[in-house]
Amino acid sequence: MVPSDLEIARAAEIHPIGEIAAQYGIQDDELIAFGKTKAKVHLDILKRVGANPQGKYVDVTAITPTPLGEGKTTTTIGLVQGLGSIGKKSIAAIRQPSMGPTFGIKGGAAGGGYSQVVPMDEFNLHLTGDIHAISAAHNLVSAAIDARWFHEGRMTDERLDEIGLKRIGIDPNRIAWRRVVDINDRALRNIIVGLGGALEGRPRETGYDITVASELMAILALTDGNDYASALRNLRERCSRVVIGQSKSGAPITLEDLGVAGAVAVLMRETLHPTIMQTLEGQLAFVHAGPFANIAHGNSSILADRVALQLGEYVVTESGFGADMGMEKFFDIKCRVSDLKPDCVVLVATVRALKTHGGGPKVVAGRALDRAYTEENLPLLRAGLTNLNAHIANAKRYGVPVVVAVNAFPTDTEHEIDLIREAAMEAGALDAVLTRHWSDGGEGATRLAEAVVKACDEPSHFKFLYPLEQSIKQKIETIATKIYAAGSVTYSPTAEKQISEFEAAGYGYLPINMAKTHLSISHDPQLKGAPSGYELPVREVRASIGAGFIYPLLGEMRTMPGLGARPAFMDVDIDDKGEVVGLF
């Protein structure tokens, strides 16, 4: 019986983070300590290690998951530990979790079992404060918008000129910037601000998103540089071009127009230094940035990867949700910005998820699994292998070797594992390996580690899916037809108008960040397996100009999750010794 994640983490031997850092060549004066177990690495380390040989770059992705997740983070940490077990200097690079899911249904995101980042409670709660800094910066913008609208409504142009302001004429019906908080709270999705009388503001409808859906979080993850100064300049420039809405004349309004871009950069400046922790087996783990994987690109930061690649032989990063989402965005957005080339894709598959795609009963978080998932059922599994095949084909489309990691659950049978492995090899995977890192740690992932080393030695012919010179529609349709296997794309009148406006404003060169469900390769969460030939509807098209992408909405995207009837926080408490209990 494997103990709970928190019990395993609590029993672990955790070394001072300075000792772990030293093993990877990080010097004491390059660390910004946050206690004994975590620290930030100052970006000026790149001045010293930038000439080091670059390590191998591995992306961990997955087949289309169930609502329970298929263990990408656990596999990422297990693979890093497995690489350590075979003598490779390996580093993990993962996202910082939001406290929304931590206290909601999903729980924490430090991995699980004997493949975790520790201390697990510190990882999942506050960490080094980056999310809070982004919340403050984002809400400062919100306050600036309402203050400017309020004061312009009371002042003449002459009075504005006297205090050094120029009227920007915010259109309250075209404000696209909401407030944020790092907690699931459906009651805040739609609100009215400015109530209480004329001196309290001007009433308007708005709402809250969860902090990790903020464009500022996406900016942090995509900021790049070769040292702190250059990264800071890039951050400041990205902040300046964030568009919060339009004026009454239809002109875009930026943070620079509001005069708040500099203050936002000030509040975010320390977030640029990536945070480091350690795995249960003493490998270095970078934990930096946490953009939403639906609305944003769902990958950890370029800066963390850039530092890690100069320190380790293998850097294993994780992209959010299935390969149609996180992996595609990792390649076409993150790698395009960084110019870093991946060497291998690890595609996580589970018997449970493949049975879902074969037509199995609905999987619901918080409910017991149907017997179809806990007993051998080869016909159901075989029917779901189309999803695995589609994701392997999509990864290979980018010219990168693919290794399938079959993340084992105790109820999986030998025949089921063999069937997945055979199908993966037939679909073109370089290897398909059973991995038991959850129960056995690095020792349970040595075969996966060996397969990844072999894959990284293969030539990588990495290429992007589309050139930026294509029009917005051409890029959307390339992703839709090649990655999602859609037969055609339709656009609502709103989407047509928005695309025209973005191209007229000069934003057509930006990459595309599709916002859709993670529960299907298509836009419809009910379409399992590998749907093809369907009509893909684009409901709306938005732009994150500071982050640097256009994001079409393929359905209703929740940017503020709600709490369930029995949220995870009900089990979280503190014991007589001051230790956290109940996290998972």
Side-chain angles (χ1 to χ4, degrees), residues 310-347:
Q310 304 305 130
L311 299 174
E313 294 176 285
Y314 291 84
V315 174
V316 184
T317 189
E318 173 201 350
S319 51
F321 294 138
D324 56 308
M325 296 195 65
M327 183 198 74
E328 185 271 319
K329 296 171 184 180
F330 172 75
F331 289 153
D332 285 318
I333 298 176
K334 183 177 178 181
C335 290
R336 200 187 295 266
V337 173
S338 69
D339 201 32
L340 296 171
K341 303 296 191 294
D343 295 287
C344 172
V345 166
V346 174
L347 183 67

Side-chain angles (χ1 to χ4, degrees), residues 88 95 99 112 123 145-147 158 194 224 271-272 318 408 412 529:
K88 304 297 183 182
R95 287 180 292 169
M99 285 191 287
F123 177 98
I145 293 168
D146 282 302
E158 291 75 18
D224 200 7
T271 68
L272 291 175
E318 173 201 350
D412 298 344

Side-chain angles (χ1 to χ4, degrees), residues 158-233:
E158 291 75 18
R159 177 57 184 147
L160 288 170
D161 186 63
E162 286 177 11
I163 60 175
L165 296 179
K166 181 181 178 181
R167 186 177 301 278
I168 57 178
I170 297 170
D171 183 344
N173 297 313
R174 303 295 294 274
I175 296 172
W177 193 268
R178 291 150 59 90
R179 287 164 167 80
V180 297
V181 65
D182 193 37
I183 294 293
N184 292 358
D185 193 344
R186 65 169 49 81
L188 292 178
R189 285 175 181 163
N190 298 287
I191 64 170
I192 297 175
V193 295
L195 298 178
L199 296 180
E200 306 300 327
R202 302 174 75 183
R204 69 177 181 90
E205 289 188 43
T206 181
Y208 273 79
D209 298 328
I210 197 162
T211 299
V212 291
S214 168
E215 183 176 352
L216 299 183
M217 177 61 86
I219 285 174
L220 172 61
L222 291 172
T223 294
D224 200 7
N226 296 313
D227 57 14
Y228 181 49
S230 60
L232 196 58
R233 286 193 299 272

Side-chain angles (χ1 to χ4, degrees), residues 1-11 74 81 111-116 280 407-411 435-441 444 583-584:
M1 181 71 177
V2 175
S4 73
D5 292 350
L6 188 57
E7 288 171 333
I8 292 170
R10 193 62 47 72
T74 307
Q81 294 176 163
Y114 287 96
S115 293
Q116 293 187 53
L280 280 169
N407 185 23
F409 287 76
T411 55
T435 180
R436 299 188 184 279
H437 48 275
W438 180 80
S439 58
D440 300 334
L583 278 178
F584 69 97

Side-chain angles (χ1 to χ4, degrees), residues 9-70:
R10 193 62 47 72
E13 180 184 1
I14 300 177
H15 303 279
I17 194 62
E19 292 182 8
I20 302 294
Q23 293 172 15
Y24 287 82
I26 303 173
Q27 299 174 357
D28 285 345
D29 62 358
E30 294 166 335
L31 292 177
I32 305 167
F34 284 76
K36 296 180 179 179
T37 57
K38 58 187 182 291
K40 280 180 169 286
V41 179
H42 199 287
L43 285 177
D44 280 347
I45 190 175
L46 287 169
K47 294 179 180 178
R48 182 175 64 83
V49 304
N52 288 356
Q54 187 171 292
K56 299 292 186 180
Y57 199 23
V58 180
D59 179 49
V60 175
T61 184
I63 62 171
T64 305
T66 69
L68 306 179
E70 307 317 308

Side-chain angles (χ1 to χ4, degrees), residues 62-64 322-324 327 347 354 357 384-398 402 423-424 427-428 482-485 520-522 528-532:
I63 62 171
T64 305
D324 56 308
M327 183 198 74
L347 183 67
L354 290 170
H357 292 292
L385 290 171
T386 56
N387 188 265
L388 175 68
N389 296 341
H391 287 301
I392 292 172
N394 281 339
K396 286 173 63 65
R397 194 183 300 275
Y398 288 90
V402 182
K482 292 188 176 181
I483 301 298
Y484 307 158
S520 172
I521 294 176
S522 75
K528 302 299 183 183
S532 63

